[in-house]
Amino acid sequence: YIVTAPILIYPFVNIVGDGMRSTIIKQTDATEECVIRTCDSNGNTSVGIGNDGANIPEAISIKDVQFQTDSDNHIVIIDSAQDMHFQNVHFSGAYTNQDGQTNGKACVDIRGTTGLKSTRIYFVHCTFEQSEFGLNSDYDIEDIIVQGTEFQKLYRAVNLGEASDGSTDTTIDYVGFVT
């Protein structure tokens, strides 16, 4: 499937494909920030999540699919989500291996605020490849679990809190890796 704008993932969504090599969703517009992104029940993203009494992104399940981008952009942006599960998901970017960091894009960029942390995000039997970072976050997050997952052709597999400067209370609580 070819998309030219980010797919918004609303609360309580369940996406099931036919396999990470069979169901492929590909972003072809280099001007877009990502392939998919969480939003609240009113479609708000980023700091707008939860405004107007909207349900926050929660209870989301994505299984047996591949997300690709033709450009060096994020593949998934998780904004203030809770209880999100990725199983057998392949995140594939367009990054070419270089000696150093370039633009800080990630297969999955996890965001949150002090009031709305991204929490209980699970990656089980996933593949992260060809992006600068596999998992990236400089925001308040907690309980991120990675199990039986591959990281390939990345500058850095996991990048947490790198942009924190000590002047804010960014907290990254428990990121677990299980083999």
Side-chain angles (χ1 to χ4, degrees):
Y1 302 93
I2 304 294
V3 297
T4 56
I7 298 170
L8 295 179
I9 305 298
Y10 285 80
F12 312 108
V13 163
N14 186 24
I15 297 174
V16 180
D18 288 330
M20 69 166 73
R21 299 283 185 193
S22 299
T23 303
I24 300 169
I25 299 173
K26 185 176 187 176
Q27 170 66 266
T28 58
D29 187 343
T31 64
E32 295 295 344
E33 189 176 12
C34 60
V35 181
I36 68 168
R37 179 179 205 150
T38 57
C39 67
D40 67 17
S41 58
N42 288 340
N44 298 317
T45 61
S46 193
V47 296
I49 285 181
N51 288 349
D52 305 324
N55 290 328
I56 62 169
E58 62 181 324
I60 297 168
S61 176
I62 300 175
K63 181 178 177 179
D64 296 323
V65 67
Q66 181 175 160
F67 298 107
Q68 288 183 353
T69 181
D70 277 347
S71 57
D72 195 14
N73 287 326
H74 296 301
I75 297 171
V76 177
I77 296 176
I78 298 175
D79 279 324
S80 300
Q82 296 179 0
D83 299 313
M84 188 166 189
H85 298 260
F86 293 91
Q87 183 177 355
N88 298 323
V89 176
H90 189 156
F91 307 95
S92 181
Y95 178 75
T96 55
N97 196 10
Q98 299 172 10
D99 290 336
Q101 189 171 342
T102 56
N103 66 4
K105 300 303 180 183
C107 289
V108 178
D109 192 47
I110 306 173
R111 301 175 182 185
T113 65
T114 303
L116 288 173
K117 293 181 181 181
S118 283
T119 184
R120 295 181 305 277
I121 313 295
Y122 299 88
F123 299 92
V124 179
H125 302 294
C126 295
T127 301
F128 295 80
E129 76 171 336
Q130 287 187 261
S131 192
E132 188 165 334
F133 305 124
L135 288 172
N136 182 65
S137 185
D138 287 313
Y139 295 84
D140 291 324
I141 62 172
E142 65 183 23
D143 298 332
I144 311 301
I145 306 296
V146 180
Q147 179 180 354
T149 292
E150 296 180 29
F151 295 92
Q152 303 172 357
K153 301 176 193 167
L154 303 160
Y155 170 67
R156 188 176 296 153
V158 178
N159 192 62
L160 300 175
E162 184 177 50
S164 297
D165 61 6
S167 66
T168 59
D169 290 333
T170 299
T171 58
I172 298 174
D173 297 326
Y174 190 73
V175 176
F177 292 85
V178 181
T179 56

